[in-house]
Amino acid sequence: MEAQHIQVNHCAVKKDKPNTDQLAFGRVFTDHMFIMDYSEDSGWHDPRIVPYEPLTIDPSAMVFHYGQSVFEGMKAYLTADGDAQLFRPEKNMKRLNHSNDRLCIPPIDEDFVIEAIKKLISVDEDWIPKAEGTSLYIRPFIISTEPYIGVAPSLHYQLIVILSPVGEYYKEGINPVKIAVESEFVRTVKGGTGEAKTGGNYAASLKAQEVAGNKGFAQVLWLDGVEKKYIEEVGSMNIFFKINGEVVTPALNGSILEGVTRNSVIQLLKHWNIPVVERKISMEELRLAYEDGLLEEAFGAGTAAVISPIGQITWNNNDFLINDEKTGEIAKKLYDTLTGIQYGREKDLFGWVSKVNDQVSKIAQ
């Protein structure tokens, strides 16, 4: 399939757009969406852009009963010149296929879906917000649609892409947040679905997040699901620590999601000749580093928030106050550089940016 074969059905009436200074995250959606179907006989077929509307789906569709679904999270950014661009979309598509394989979902044509996403953005380009720190969030997802109550891989699927103009993910912005170490609930284990981006992983995290939120914490710090001693992720982000001049992040182990931002952070740190290592790190090691005055920074990394500095970690009723609860030098440099590349303010030395169109019309909003 090629992008020119995508049928486009424009909506009859366009929605009112929200004020860019009032954008929440993931609450408002654009006028159109992309859909493509899969059947065992025809493979992926019938790619189309249609008006955004509720789906018609059988109550016995397998996604409702067995959770066979995957998704991705990406953003489109508007440059000062009015160009819309994506950030490393090929990494998202590669990860989507990795998730597909784990959930027994047929693989997609990665290049074609990127072109389909670009075409959808071009149709709804006037939805890309212009205010500082805003972007157009892109949510591709695949659901199993076969009407069948039986535990087996579905024979029918839909790939859908929706778009949402968004502001900052955390109201704190680049300011440090407080997190709590989770010691009761388990996010996932090696051999499970932790390294796939599937909805069940996030459903499993909600209880711990609810408990932590009621205590005033922004997120939870997940430990491994077996020994409950090694650090894995923070909320739905990868995590980094600067300890005695070296940046440490948990090594990918079969239960940790391989983040696009994580990969970008590691590449930038190496480019800057800042020591960075991927390895196991335990809470006990972190405690000792803190008590010895060697824990210099901590931050999460992910598509939604980009870089989220951590000012406090609470473990066993003990508070670790990091860098006087201020944003660290490395976290700030990473945030400024990544967002600078994404919005076209910084030179793209790594070839990470992908233009939506060679010439995107000036967007007026």
Side-chain angles (χ1 to χ4, degrees):
M1 288 184 291
E2 297 181 359
Q4 61 262 35
H5 296 149
I6 299 173
Q7 296 182 341
V8 180
N9 178 18
H10 290 275
C11 63
V13 179
K14 290 192 173 184
K15 306 174 186 176
D16 292 331
K17 297 177 179 62
N19 294 328
T20 53
D21 59 352
Q22 297 176 353
L23 285 175
F25 199 97
R27 294 288 185 182
V28 177
F29 300 93
T30 66
D31 292 312
H32 299 87
M33 60 185 180
F34 172 81
I35 301 179
M36 183 166 59
D37 299 308
Y38 177 90
S39 65
E40 191 175 33
D41 294 335
S42 302
W44 288 108
H45 63 279
D46 194 17
R48 59 204 183 272
I49 292 172
V50 298
Y52 183 98
E53 60 186 2
L55 300 174
T56 299
I57 188 168
D58 197 291
S60 64
M62 295 177 73
V63 66
F64 297 133
H65 306 277
Y66 307 110
Q68 197 186 12
S69 68
V70 295
F71 69 94
E72 270 300 322
M74 311 160 59
K75 288 180 178 177
Y77 307 86
L78 191 66
T79 71
D81 295 330
D83 293 327
Q85 57 189 31
L86 306 178
F87 182 76
R88 309 191 74 183
E90 72 286 347
K91 296 286 287 184
N92 292 95
M93 293 302 103
K94 182 179 179 181
R95 187 172 65 181
L96 183 60
N97 265 337
H98 182 79
S99 300
N100 283 339
D101 181 68
R102 181 63 181 85
L103 272 292
C104 294
I105 296 172
I108 57 155
D109 181 327
E110 298 171 16
D111 292 336
F112 173 76
V113 175
I114 290 174
E115 291 306 310
I117 289 171
K118 290 181 177 181
K119 189 162 186 174
L120 176 62
I121 294 169
S122 296
V123 171
D124 278 345
E125 67 181 28
D126 57 336
W127 278 88
I128 306 178
K130 296 177 65 176
E132 181 73 22
T134 61
S135 57
L136 187 68
Y137 188 78
I138 305 162
R139 171 51 59 90
F141 61 102
I142 300 174
I143 56 174
S144 51
T145 55
E146 182 183 0
Y148 173 53
I149 302 296
V151 182
S154 175
L155 300 179
H156 298 272
Y157 300 88
Q158 278 194 331
L159 183 152
I160 304 167
V161 183
I162 56 177
L163 308 174
S164 174
V166 297
E168 299 283 0
Y169 187 75
Y170 290 120
K171 63 180 182 298
E172 297 93 340
I174 188 63
N175 296 312
V177 298
K178 298 195 302 181
I179 65 173
V181 179
E182 180 53 50
S183 57
E184 178 181 0
F185 300 104
V186 171
R187 186 185 67 89
T188 186
V189 295
K190 183 178 181 180
T193 57
E195 64 177 2
K197 203 165 178 66
T198 181
N201 293 343
Y202 297 83
S205 73
L206 296 178
K207 186 62 178 179
Q209 178 60 46
E210 181 183 61
V211 172
N214 289 338
K215 295 178 181 178
F217 296 99
Q219 278 293 356
V220 298
L221 183 63
W222 293 104
L223 304 181
D224 74 278
V226 178
E227 299 179 78
K228 295 186 178 180
K229 60 187 287 188
Y230 294 102
I231 296 166
E232 294 209 332
E233 295 186 7
V234 56
S236 56
M237 295 183 291
N238 297 116
I239 190 164
F240 292 80
F241 303 96
K242 184 186 176 193
I243 301 174
N244 195 26
E246 180 181 67
V247 179
V248 180
T249 190
L252 301 175
N253 61 1
S255 65
I256 295 173
L257 186 71
E258 185 176 3
V260 176
T261 309
R262 175 188 185 274
N263 179 276
S264 305
V265 165
I266 292 171
Q267 287 197 49
L268 282 172
L269 292 173
K270 289 179 178 180
H271 179 70
W272 295 333
N273 293 318
I274 296 174
V276 55
V277 62
E278 302 173 68
R279 63 169 174 82
K280 278 187 172 184
I281 178 170
S282 68
M283 275 306 303
E284 182 62 20
E285 178 185 348
L286 199 70
R287 180 187 69 81
L288 292 174
Y290 175 75
E291 291 180 352
D292 291 341
L294 301 178
L295 180 56
E296 300 163 350
E297 289 190 47
F299 55 89
T303 297
V306 187
I307 300 294
S308 180
I310 297 166
Q312 176 182 320
I313 298 175
T314 297
W315 183 46
N316 292 339
N317 296 317
N318 294 311
D319 297 333
F320 303 169
L321 303 181
I322 303 169
N323 195 38
D324 296 324
E325 299 182 85
K326 298 176 182 177
T327 299
E329 179 181 349
I330 288 181
K332 182 65 164 59
K333 185 176 182 181
L334 285 166
Y335 179 84
D336 288 345
T337 302
L338 286 168
T339 56
I341 294 171
Q342 290 163 348
Y343 288 98
R345 297 188 298 264
E346 295 253 353
K347 188 174 181 180
D348 178 19
L349 298 176
F350 303 93
W352 286 343
V353 166
S354 178
K355 298 287 187 182
V356 171
N357 289 318
D358 291 334
Q359 296 292 329
V360 177
S361 59
K362 189 71 176 176
I363 295 173
Q365 240 181 280

